[in-house]
């Protein structure tokens, strides 16, 4: 099968590319390198089964050309920064909704049979049921980021039912690991390098969320995709996360310990009752029972994933 990975030079995308190449797929990557880096995929650049296209998915022609001969699209291209929503909603719209629309329009006239989309736990908003299952409703995002992810899910579903391809949508918890270049662990490490005496923590530190290591994420995506191919559902949704969760303060403690520092913690107090920023979901843990029924489960807990990620980022930066 020939696979296109949009955003394949990014954090999760590049790990997915590694796994697909190791499994023998023909892989093409489309990435504008705004959030990704060629360094993440440099090991494959001269491989006969690998092709890289630098291009912006806001241009329909670029997307159309990238789909030539492709059977499966893993659509990971997006702006990954939740916090940008309050400053630049139009950028989030363009880099999530518009590019997805361009992709779907191009898929109509292509050989693509499957689209796999990485959505986000933020589509649930502040769920009243925790752990939150895939059939939770109503979906009420509290950030622009959550809103554009939900919009992308909806158009994918509409196009799949109308034009006859199959779509698999993953709602991801907080994904962490080597090559990540944003997020709480990355921020803490950089802050402590600048000032080892004090660590500023956004919010009140009690925010509690589920974290999944990128190795478990990619394993889950590929495992569930195999199961989905045998299903007769046109569109299906799976949460990918962890059974446990961890507070921001505990993450700060792990980062400090791994860096052999004892900084004073300075909590900003945050907004709207201790959130890190406007639109930050304070408590998030997804139900992963549906994913587990396919035979997948995370190898690392949230705590183990955090500790391993801190070590990986300290080694690589």
């Amino acid at each position: 099968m020939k696979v296109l990975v949009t955003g394949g030079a990014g954090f999760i995308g590049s790990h997915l590319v590694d796994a697909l190449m190791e499994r023998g797929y023909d892989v093409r990557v489309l990435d504008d390198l705004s959030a990704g880096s060629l360094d993440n995929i440099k090991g494959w650049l001269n491989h006969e089964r690998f092709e890289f296209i630098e291009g912006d998915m806001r241009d329909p022609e670029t997307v159309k050309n990238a789909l030539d001969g492709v059977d499966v699209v893993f659509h990971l291209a997006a702006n990954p920064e939740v916090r940008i929503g309050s400053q630049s909603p139009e950028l989030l719209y363009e880099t999530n909704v518009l590019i997805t629309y361009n992709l779907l329009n191009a898929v109509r006239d292509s050989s693509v049979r499957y689209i796999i989309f990485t959505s986000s736990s933020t589509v649930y908003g502040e769920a009243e049921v925790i752990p939150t299952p895939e059939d939770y409703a109503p979906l009420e995002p509290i950030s622009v980021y959550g809103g554009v992810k939900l919009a992308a899910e909806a158009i994918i579903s509409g196009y799949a039912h109308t034009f006859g391809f199959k779509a698999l949508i993953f709602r991801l918890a907080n994904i962490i690991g080597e090559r990540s270049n944003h997020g709480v662990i990355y921020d803490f490490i950089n802050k402590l390098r600048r000032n080892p005496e004090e660590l500023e923590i956004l919010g009140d530190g009690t925010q509690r969320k589920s974290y999944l290591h990128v190795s478990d994420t990619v394993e889950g995506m590929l495992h569930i995709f195999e199961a989905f191919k045998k299903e007769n559902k046109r569109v299906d949704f799976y949460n990918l996360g962890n059974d446990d969760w961890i507070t921001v303060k505990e993450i700060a403690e792990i980062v400090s310990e791994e860096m052999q520092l004892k900084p004073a913690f300075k909590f900003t107090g945050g907004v709207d009752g201790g959130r890190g920023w406007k639109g930050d979901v304070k408590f998030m843990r997804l139900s992963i029972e549906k994913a587990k029924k396919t035979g997948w489960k995370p190898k690392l807990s949230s705590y183990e994933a955090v500790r391993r990620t801190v070590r990986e980022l300290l080694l690589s930066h």
Side-chain angles (χ1 to χ4, degrees), residues 17-309:
V17 166
D18 290 346
L20 289 166
M21 288 297 291
E22 281 153 18
R23 283 165 168 78
Y25 285 87
D26 286 338
V27 178
R28 179 182 293 151
V29 165
L30 173 60
D31 201 305
D32 66 359
L33 301 180
S34 58
S37 162
L38 274 183
D39 275 354
N40 290 339
I41 51 172
K42 62 174 182 257
W44 304 115
L45 289 174
N46 297 317
H47 198 287
E48 59 192 14
R49 281 190 286 105
F50 183 80
E51 184 187 351
F52 174 73
I53 299 171
E54 184 176 348
D56 189 331
M57 291 183 70
R58 289 175 286 194
D59 172 44
E61 207 53 38
T62 299
V63 180
K64 189 165 168 272
N65 294 336
L67 286 177
D68 185 40
V70 168
D71 308 289
V72 183
V73 179
F74 284 87
H75 179 36
L76 279 69
N79 188 309
E81 190 53 79
V82 180
R83 278 179 275 182
I84 201 178
S86 51
Q87 297 100 21
S88 182
E90 56 284 344
L91 184 64
L92 276 183
Y93 167 76
E94 285 177 14
T95 54
N96 287 275
V97 185
L98 177 64
I99 66 170
T100 302
Y101 168 75
N102 285 346
L103 175 66
L104 293 167
N105 259 346
V107 162
R108 287 169 55 179
D109 307 314
S110 74
S111 54
V112 172
R113 291 182 291 154
Y114 301 100
I115 286 189
I116 298 95
F117 175 59
T118 46
S119 185
S120 160
S121 62
T122 56
V123 300
Y124 294 113
E126 299 211 279
E128 287 170 19
V129 178
I130 291 180
T132 313
E134 287 85 355
D135 57 4
Y136 177 83
L139 297 177
E140 188 189 333
I142 64 164
S143 62
V144 177
Y145 179 84
V148 295
K149 282 295 191 187
L150 186 55
E153 284 189 13
I155 25 185
I156 288 169
S157 177
Y159 267 74
H161 283 285
T162 307
F163 299 108
F165 57 87
K166 289 181 73 171
L168 175 59
I169 293 170
F170 288 110
R171 291 173 176 160
L172 304 180
N174 287 19
I175 310 304
I176 54 176
E178 193 180 1
R179 303 178 196 157
S180 57
N181 58 7
H182 75 289
V184 64
I185 299 173
Y186 182 83
D187 288 349
F188 283 171
I189 289 172
N190 287 335
K191 283 177 179 176
L192 285 172
R193 282 188 168 149
R194 286 195 297 272
N195 179 4
E197 304 299 315
E198 182 180 272
L199 178 59
E200 180 196 62
I201 299 171
L202 300 180
D204 62 9
T206 65
Q207 307 97 301
R208 183 183 288 272
K209 302 182 190 187
S210 182
Y211 289 79
L212 186 66
H213 194 269
V214 67
S215 56
D216 279 328
T217 310
V218 166
E219 191 58 48
M221 286 171 68
L222 292 176
H223 179 87
I224 292 165
F225 175 48
E226 289 307 315
F228 174 68
K229 283 197 271 196
K230 301 182 186 89
E231 284 180 20
N232 49 20
K233 280 193 168 169
R234 172 75 51 205
V235 179
D236 210 352
F237 298 82
Y238 281 88
N239 289 335
L240 282 183
N242 230 315
D243 280 321
D244 66 337
W245 46 356
I246 184 170
T247 66
V248 170
K249 181 170 181 279
E250 287 170 317
I251 293 173
E253 285 162 357
I254 291 172
V255 174
S256 304
E257 191 185 305
E258 288 293 330
M259 292 178 77
Q260 299 176 322
L261 298 170
K262 292 194 170 160
F265 290 170
K266 181 182 147 209
F267 298 97
T268 65
V271 296
D272 299 346
R275 302 168 200 280
W277 57 87
K278 192 97 183 146
D280 178 27
V281 175
K282 198 166 180 194
F283 303 108
M284 181 275 293
R285 181 154 64 97
L286 303 177
S287 165
I288 54 170
E289 293 312 306
K290 183 174 174 181
K292 281 170 148 177
K293 282 186 181 136
T294 70
W296 169 84
K297 68 173 196 287
K299 293 185 176 74
L300 301 175
S301 68
S302 290
Y303 286 85
E304 290 164 339
V306 166
R307 195 171 289 280
R308 179 165 153 189
T309 298

